[in-house]
Every structure is written in structure tokens, then in C-alpha cells.
Amino acid sequence: MYEREDVQKKTFTKWINAQFSKFGKQHIDNLFSDLQDGKRLLDLLEGLTGQKLPKEKGSTRVHALNNVNKALRVLEKNNVDLVNIGSTDIVDGNHKLTLGLIWNIILHWQVKNVMKTIMAGLQQTNSEKILLSWVRQSTRNYPQVNVINFTSSWSDGLALNALIHSHR
């Protein structure tokens, strides 16, 4: 369990820092503690939404809760799924829910943008077919990889590695 959490923490921290590099913001070191006061979360959302999001200047729990609440409202306005994630969860450093929050942000701003681009060029409406088309398009330069479904095509790991390699 902790190994998976550690991998997610490292991956999500790298994603956030990649976003911060684009926006000219200082990187974070610890995903859980650096987001607790809500200021860095608001920095991230400022860059992703293009909106200026004022932060409360104080360092008390109340200021942190207000900042995180503001971030959660911005996410709700952008239709980001926040099932069972509240400001106290982030302020208290709940690892599982902080990871869930960041995953939903990544899913919304990274994956959905990729899917919009792909869907613009496709006539299909079935999301599984669209995703399959994207995988096939992403792995087309790997002759040993032939993705025809989401089960047996992935069993040897080649498709996953090709997909990751094609987007590095």
C-alpha cells in the first residue's frame, strides 16, 4: 500500500512541478505538506485556469481552510469531480484524499485535454473506441505492438511501455 502511495506521490509531485515550470512558479518538495495551506493549490489552479486567485496571507488553520475551500470551489466550477474530498482533508494532510484530489486535477486538465484533441479528429462517439484509437495512434511507431483491445493486448507489457515511451 505504502509503495503505491509513494509512487503516486512522486508522480503527482513531478506533474505539479512541470505545471509550475510552465507558469514560472517555485516547485514543491512534499506533495502533502506543501498543499496543506492551500496557497500552492491555488497557484496550481491559477496556472491551469488562467484566472488570478487571491490567497489569504495568514498562516493559521482558518486561513488554510479558506484557501483550500476557495480552491475546491474553483474545481467545482470547472466540473472537476471531488467526491468526498473536503478542505479539512487537505489541511490535515490526509494522504489518500490529497492524492485523490491531485489525480482528479490531472485527469481533468491533462487527460481530458488530450481526449478533446483526439475526439476533434475522430467521428466515433464511444469513449472506449476513442481511447483505443488514441492508444493505437500513440503506439503506431512500435511494430511489435498491436493494440486491439484493453485486455489481451496489454498482457506482455509492451503496449504500456510503448505508450509511456511515445509520450516521454
Side-chain angles (χ1 to χ4, degrees):
M1 178 69 175
Y2 291 111
E3 183 180 336
R4 187 163 107 212
E5 182 179 289
D6 193 47
V7 168
Q8 289 175 337
K9 178 183 175 185
K10 286 179 185 174
T11 304
F12 295 176
T13 299
K14 285 181 181 180
W15 185 84
I16 289 171
N17 286 335
Q19 302 310 307
F20 281 160
S21 291
K22 291 180 197 173
F23 317 143
K25 298 279 186 181
Q26 185 180 341
H27 287 189
I28 62 170
D29 297 313
N30 184 307
L31 181 72
F32 305 122
S33 62
D34 289 348
L35 298 182
Q36 281 182 293
D37 68 2
K39 292 176 185 174
R40 301 313 314 271
L41 194 53
L42 287 169
D43 283 342
L44 177 63
L45 294 176
E46 271 185 4
L48 293 171
T49 65
Q51 298 174 303
K52 180 75 178 138
L53 302 170
K55 297 155 201 70
E56 294 210 4
K57 303 280 188 262
S59 58
T60 68
R61 180 174 173 81
V62 171
H63 293 110
L65 287 168
N66 287 340
N67 284 330
V68 174
N69 273 324
K70 185 181 293 183
L72 295 179
R73 283 194 304 273
V74 169
L75 292 168
E76 285 173 356
K77 284 181 189 171
N78 282 277
N79 299 314
V80 176
D81 192 20
L82 297 175
V83 178
N84 296 325
I85 300 173
S87 57
T88 55
D89 300 316
I90 307 308
V91 172
D92 292 342
N94 181 309
H95 290 195
K96 185 177 178 183
L97 294 178
T98 300
L99 290 169
L101 175 68
I102 299 305
W103 171 244
N104 283 329
I105 291 171
I106 292 170
L107 193 61
H108 185 80
W109 270 280
Q110 193 74 38
V111 177
K112 287 189 179 174
N113 284 341
V114 168
M115 291 302 289
K116 279 183 203 167
T117 305
I118 292 162
M119 288 173 65
L122 298 173
Q123 298 302 313
Q124 297 168 324
T125 55
N126 180 315
S127 58
E128 189 172 319
K129 285 182 183 176
I130 292 168
L131 188 57
L132 190 60
S133 293
W134 173 74
V135 170
R136 290 177 61 83
Q137 180 182 352
S138 297
T139 59
R140 71 182 177 279
N141 294 329
Y142 302 87
Q144 70 280 25
V145 176
N146 182 25
V147 180
I148 56 172
N149 58 41
F150 287 111
T151 53
S152 60
S153 294
W154 299 84
S155 60
D156 61 4
L158 288 175
L160 179 62
N161 281 316
L163 185 60
I164 291 168
H165 188 259
S166 72
H167 289 281
R168 274 193 93 180

